[in-house]
Amino acid sequence: DADVTQTPRNRITKTGKRIMLECSQTKGHDRMYWYRQDPGLGLRLIYYSFDVKDINKGEISDGYSVSRQAQAKFSLSLESAIPNQTALYFCATSALDSPNEQYFGPGTRLTVT
Amino acid sequence: AQKITQTQPGMFVQEKEAVTLDCTYDTSDQSYGLFWYKQPSSGEMIFLIYQGSYDEQNATEGRYSLNFQKARKSANLVISASQLGDSAMYFCAMREGLRYGGATNKLIFGTGTLLAVQP
């Protein structure tokens, strides 16, 4: 089984809809991240979390919210989706004492029409 | 501000040849880490290699090696004996250094280099 899983893997939604992307990990890592990938722009950080009570904004948090339901679960929500949020979304995990380990989920391809 | 620069949008290499993908970085941190990831057309991010800023030896992982030149702030990826399966997008990323309260371990990515291996 994969260490970091994301659901759904693909999603098409309409403008204005609320959508949630979910991430689960079995690594036991304390740190979790949501990144967004757009063509030609690499990956950019949306939100990150140190633990269930510690949520931080990343570079491009506008239009997004997150929830850390448990150490192993970190969800990303688009409250009112817009077409320019069409992108590939990655969840990642790492541990404080292992900075050389960064594990990515398989990605969620989101299309907003 | 921290930044990763990959100046090669695309590269071609013949099968079995070596190829170097360039990466330069900008940071004022003394302690940081550099990563290379491979992203095939299927989309997943595959970890290739890591170099810590205090590591004295260049990192190697099988056919991958990282040519780390700290004074020049470069961390080029060298792939030896290229294979057709190496065709993919390659990203260089930097982990920021320590901050008050502990390292966030968040990554800053370059824009990537698309490598095509030709038979």
Side-chain angles (χ1 to χ4, degrees), chain B residues 29-45:
Chain B
D29 291 334
Q30 296 300 307
S31 173
Y32 51 89
L34 296 152
F35 294 77
W36 276 93
Y37 286 89
K38 172 184 178 181
Q39 186 179 42
S41 58
S42 52
E44 70 266 32
M45 295 291 284

Side-chain angles (χ1 to χ4, degrees), chain A residues 51-62:
Chain A
D51 63 39
V52 294
K53 296 180 181 178
D54 192 342
I55 305 288
N56 302 277
K57 292 183 178 180
E59 181 186 355
I60 51 164
S61 59
D62 288 349

